[in-house]
Amino acid sequence: MAELPKNLAANPILARWITVHSDGRIDVRAGKVELGQGILTALAQIAADELGVGLAAVRMVPAGSGGPDEGVTAGSLSVMDSGAALRVAAANVRMRFARAAGGDDFSYARFAAAVDLEVPADPDVPLRSEAGLVGRSVERLDLPDKVFGRPRYIQDLRLPGQLYGRVVRPPSRGARLVEVTAAVPDGLTLVRDGSFLGLVGPDEATVVRGAEVLRQGTRWDEHDSLPDEEDLDKFLRAGPHETITVVDDGAAPPGGDKDGTTGARGSGAETGGSRQRGASAADSRDDHVEAVSERVVRATYSRPFVAHASMAPSCGVALWHDDGRLEVWSHSQGVHPLGRAIAAALGLEADAVRVEHVENAGCYGHNAADDAAFDAVLLARAVPGRPVQVLWSRQDELSWAPFGSAMTADVAATLSADGAISSWHYDVFSQGHMARPGYAGVPGLLAATVLGHAAEYPAAVDPPAANGYGSMRNALPGYDLPRRRVVGHRLLRSPIRSSSMRALGAFLNVFAIESAMDELAEAAGRDPLEFRLEHLSDPRGRRVLIAAAEAAGWRQPPPEGHGFGLGYARYKGTGAYCAVVAEVEAEADVRVRRLYVAIDVGRVVNPDGVRNQIEGGAVQSASWTLTERVRFDRRRVTSDTWETYPILRFSQVPRVDVTLVGGEENEKSLGAGEAAQGPTAAAIGNALAAAVGVRVRDLPLTREAVVAAIERDS
């Protein structure tokens, strides 16, 4: 007997997924949400094919309390997991209608009332072999409303009797409200619970002005709580840590201790020995990579804290009913976990909270969507029977949403006499990458930490190995390497909230690994592409590397002042294969001129959707790599505007060429959303090194960082 796909096994009743109406319209529900990635279009293609209908007959219903609980839309798993579940669910529906009609030639409209879908799915249902829509670039279902400016986003939501709310944030982490001296403007309701402070009223502009008056008329108790932003390496290494061993083949690190903590805050190679753990960045700025007699290469790579910087600030809407029921509208990536977290935070029964998904202008990771929803809940509790919409400010979004963790990674590798890698040791230091609602058994909602009975939340955790890790995601190289030791060190205390950001730890880990591969290739006197191929037996990995190199004209010399660089990884070691070649110009500034990406995502549902995901991921990665860095002093985040937290401008966006590789019918879909992040960063870093002749190992790769590296190596 076959087994149901795991998401269908967790939600086996067909009616949770599909409803057939008497006019022939078919509502399809998935537990995955539209983030601008086009997932509802791809899932509609899968469902329509299996139902045997055209795309126009299918209406994708946003995720919510009436549909299946598929957890969080994350990890590049939507097509793989939700698509597999929906395909079998749709096949079950088609089979039940065919049985009711006595054959395969039937009308869904005619038999809608006769077929009961309140039944569990049959795992042995036959699947349709021919693909009609799957594999084609059909038009996106969500784009017409967005292109023509029709109401679609949560900010456009207008419910009967709707009020507007704003929250006055503490001025800094750990601040506590002492007193409110401002007079509340007429017509507005003041809401205070401990240090949670907000206003509610019928006119949004009046509420915004009132919130600013309130902000000016408050007194807070503040204290220094943040680390030194100029020495994040020391902060990350100081501990305490949870140690996560991915693999340990038993070999001691070259020139280091058996525990593998080489501690080298190095910017280059060493010939043996180990630095004091926690050494400052300045201790090793004069190092440089070279082939040494012991054939040892050491280097340390890092990234700062990074903000989601969503296009539109987060928003939430809540309606507190007089009978204690609660309705919430949110652009959360996990509406069911959010509902459970809100219930837990307020001591409600889980079934008293209903959360429905409404789109916002995009985010790949845990931004402030859940927090904005909980803000709305707390304000709505003060005005039962009236829905309240809360919109965050840009300053709040850049200051208070969870960040992608800063990370630092040490590589120590040896080369044999023939130039092959003979050992590999890797240590990465990071905060956790998971603090979504419900993490570690706590609600995980920002406002709960400032209420009168304030919640104490643990540091961010990491997903388990079965889910691809967090700090250690892609920390294990995909190459054929002997004597490996790969260990993570997750910080257990931090005043800075970190959580899931696109690709989690894979962004820095792939940047570090692939940068080290180039440095090892240089030490061995090998071409970077050939060096990788010599250490890679996976045919699909080899195929994307060769495809990207061929598309870029790898063997052709770049123009003066330009450099080519290569990056490669298989996402999570189990997902899509991706290789990137970057062309970087580094004369007056660092400019990425072109990115050549080859991607193997297995069975492709929508080719245009895959290209969109890869292009978007590559551009976002380029922005992280070149410009983005959260800035803060010892009390507060200071990069709270687009001027102080710059992102890549349209004039700086490189051309991205995407080559789809593989995609045979019998291959399972692997997901494209996060595959390009790490390889793109690595390719840019390697191209920059090729262009200027020095290597910058600490992100972002700014003009100032390049000048400092040149001065260091001069």
Side-chain angles (χ1 to χ4, degrees):
M1 181 177 177
E3 293 184 355
L4 290 173
K6 64 177 183 179
N7 287 17
L8 185 55
N11 305 269
I13 303 303
L14 297 177
R16 295 274 286 179
W17 299 83
I18 296 173
T19 301
V20 179
H21 297 276
S22 58
D23 61 359
R25 178 170 49 89
I26 302 174
D27 286 348
V28 175
R29 299 174 186 84
K32 302 298 183 180
V33 303
E34 182 63 60
L35 305 170
Q37 80 279 43
I39 188 58
L40 293 189
T41 301
L43 293 178
Q45 291 176 253
I46 292 170
D49 263 7
E50 206 57 53
L51 290 165
V53 299
L55 200 61
V58 171
R59 183 174 78 99
M60 297 301 295
V61 180
S65 54
D69 181 355
E70 295 193 87
V72 178
T73 304
S76 298
L77 296 173
S78 294
V79 169
M80 187 188 309
D81 290 347
S82 187
L86 190 53
R87 186 183 185 193
V88 175
N92 269 268
V93 171
R94 174 176 48 80
M95 178 186 69
R96 295 186 67 81
F97 272 79
R99 286 177 179 173
D104 291 335
D105 187 12
F106 62 87
S107 162
Y108 280 103
R110 179 181 175 188
F111 292 95
V115 176
D116 181 15
L117 297 182
E118 290 286 346
V119 296
D122 177 1
D124 292 312
V125 64
L127 301 175
R128 290 167 62 95
S129 59
E130 68 275 12
L133 293 165
V134 170
R136 290 171 48 192
S137 294
V138 305
E139 295 179 356
R140 285 267 295 271
L141 301 179
D142 59 314
L143 287 186
D145 286 350
K146 297 171 182 177
V147 170
F148 293 107
R150 301 176 189 134
R152 187 179 183 98
Y153 292 129
I154 190 169
Q155 292 89 347
D156 302 321
L157 191 62
R158 296 294 181 268
L159 300 173
Q162 180 169 301
L163 302 174
Y164 299 88
R166 287 295 185 277
V167 173
V168 177
R169 304 281 165 208
S172 61
R173 265 71 173 169
R176 288 293 178 259
L177 181 59
V178 176
E179 65 174 337
V180 178
T181 59
V184 178
D186 292 341
L188 302 183
T189 300
L190 175 68
V191 180
R192 179 180 177 182
D193 184 340
S195 294
F196 178 82
L197 191 63
L199 286 178
V200 181
D203 178 71
E204 186 174 19
T206 302
V207 171
V208 171
R209 289 193 295 269
E212 185 55 35
V213 171
L214 194 59
R215 188 188 316 278
Q216 298 298 323
T218 56
R219 187 163 63 88
W220 300 81
D221 178 27
E222 297 184 75
H223 61 276
D224 291 352
S225 63
L226 301 183
D228 181 356
E229 193 240 322
E230 298 296 339
D231 198 357
L232 291 178
D233 183 80
K234 180 179 179 180
F235 163 70
L236 291 169
R237 293 176 189 268
H241 295 117
E242 174 196 18
T243 300
I244 308 159
T245 300
V246 178
V247 65
D248 187 352
D249 295 335
D257 298 328
K258 180 64 175 71
D259 69 359
T261 53
T262 58
R265 182 61 189 94
S267 293
E270 299 170 358
T271 61
S274 64
R275 295 188 184 274
Q276 177 68 33
R277 183 172 178 176
S280 70
D283 290 338
S284 53
R285 290 298 180 186
D286 294 331
D287 296 336
H288 61 93
V289 170
E290 58 182 345
V292 296
S293 57
E294 296 87 353
R295 311 286 288 176
V296 177
V297 170
R298 295 181 187 277
T300 294
Y301 309 87
S302 74
R303 85 165 196 182
F305 287 98
V306 181
H308 285 282
S310 305
M311 290 177 63
S314 295
C315 182
V317 181
L319 171 57
W320 193 291
H321 292 277
D322 292 323
D323 60 5
R325 292 181 298 110
L326 178 60
E327 292 184 80
V328 180
W329 292 264
S330 174
H331 54 105
S332 169
Q333 288 184 241
V335 292
H336 294 279
L338 174 59
R340 292 189 289 270
I342 291 172
L346 299 177
L348 302 174
E349 295 295 328
D351 59 5
V353 182
R354 295 172 58 91
V355 183
E356 307 296 331
H357 186 264
V358 186
E359 288 182 55
N360 195 9
C363 179
Y364 293 90
H366 180 198
N367 68 348
D370 304 288
D371 297 321
F374 191 55
D375 288 344
V377 167
L378 294 175
L379 296 183
R381 184 171 59 174
V383 288
R386 302 287 297 274
V388 177
Q389 182 193 80
V390 172
L391 180 67
W392 279 35
S393 69
R394 173 58 58 193
Q395 288 71 29
D396 285 348
E397 189 79 24
L398 288 172
S399 299
W400 288 98
F403 296 133
S405 176
M407 299 176 67
T408 188
D410 299 331
V411 177
T414 58
L415 290 168
S416 62
D418 61 357
I421 299 174
S422 52
S423 73
W424 178 274
H425 297 265
Y426 186 82
D427 285 85
V428 61
F429 299 82
S430 175
Q431 295 187 178
H433 292 256
M434 179 67 74
R436 292 184 185 273
Y439 85 102
V442 298
L445 298 165
L446 175 65
T449 64
V450 297
L451 296 177
H453 291 88
E456 294 290 337
Y457 291 153
V461 297
D462 274 333
N467 293 344
Y469 293 109
S471 306
M472 303 306 293
R473 182 162 294 184
N474 275 101
L476 183 65
Y479 298 101
D480 308 323
L481 305 179
R483 297 193 299 151
R484 303 164 301 169
R485 188 176 192 276
V486 177
V487 180
H489 310 272
R490 179 177 69 88
L491 201 60
L492 296 178
R493 286 201 298 264
S494 173
I496 300 176
R497 188 168 62 142
S498 58
S499 193
S500 306
M501 181 173 283
R502 197 175 193 178
L504 281 68
F507 174 72
L508 186 276
N509 287 326
V510 175
F511 172 75
I513 291 166
E514 289 296 289
S515 296
M517 288 296 288
D518 257 39
E519 301 200 49
L520 285 159
E522 180 182 3
R526 302 284 176 78
D527 172 78
L529 173 61
E530 294 303 323
F531 187 75
R532 284 170 172 80
L533 293 175
E534 289 167 4
H535 290 86
L536 182 62
S537 60
D538 188 323
R540 295 173 74 175
R542 295 176 62 87
R543 189 164 53 181
V544 295
L545 273 168
I546 293 169
E550 289 180 346
W554 179 259
R555 301 299 181 190
Q556 302 300 316
E560 182 70 23
H562 291 225
F564 283 140
L566 187 62
Y568 160 77
R570 184 182 186 189
Y571 185 54
K572 293 191 287 190
T574 58
Y577 296 81
C578 183
V580 180
V581 174
E583 181 185 348
V584 167
E585 178 186 5
E587 293 181 333
D589 207 344
V590 181
R591 297 292 299 270
V592 180
R593 291 301 184 185
R594 200 156 178 174
L595 295 170
Y596 302 87
V597 187
I599 183 78
D600 178 354
V601 297
R603 186 172 186 248
V604 176
V605 175
N606 187 316
D608 187 55
V610 172
R611 290 189 176 92
N612 288 340
Q613 283 284 75
I614 295 302
E615 289 171 4
V619 171
Q620 184 182 44
S621 180
S623 184
W624 293 348
T625 304
L626 296 176
T627 68
E628 297 188 39
R629 179 181 183 180
V630 174
R631 309 309 300 258
F632 49 89
D633 58 27
R634 300 310 292 262
R635 288 193 176 183
R636 65 196 67 184
V637 173
T638 58
S639 53
D640 61 354
T641 66
W642 290 128
E643 288 72 31
T644 52
Y645 188 87
I647 63 174
L648 205 66
R649 297 177 178 273
F650 282 110
S651 61
Q652 298 171 301
V653 172
R655 175 174 172 176
V656 183
D657 295 317
V658 179
T659 301
L660 301 184
V661 177
E664 282 75 13
E665 178 69 24
N666 61 343
E667 294 175 346
K668 69 176 182 178
S669 299
L670 296 177
E674 298 164 292
Q677 305 301 110
T680 298
I684 294 172
N686 289 331
L688 176 61
V692 299
V694 299
R695 184 168 292 273
V696 182
R697 300 178 183 84
D698 301 315
L699 299 174
L701 307 178
T702 61
R703 179 182 183 277
E704 292 74 18
V706 175
V707 171
I710 293 173
E711 292 175 349
R712 179 197 73 205
D713 287 0
S714 62

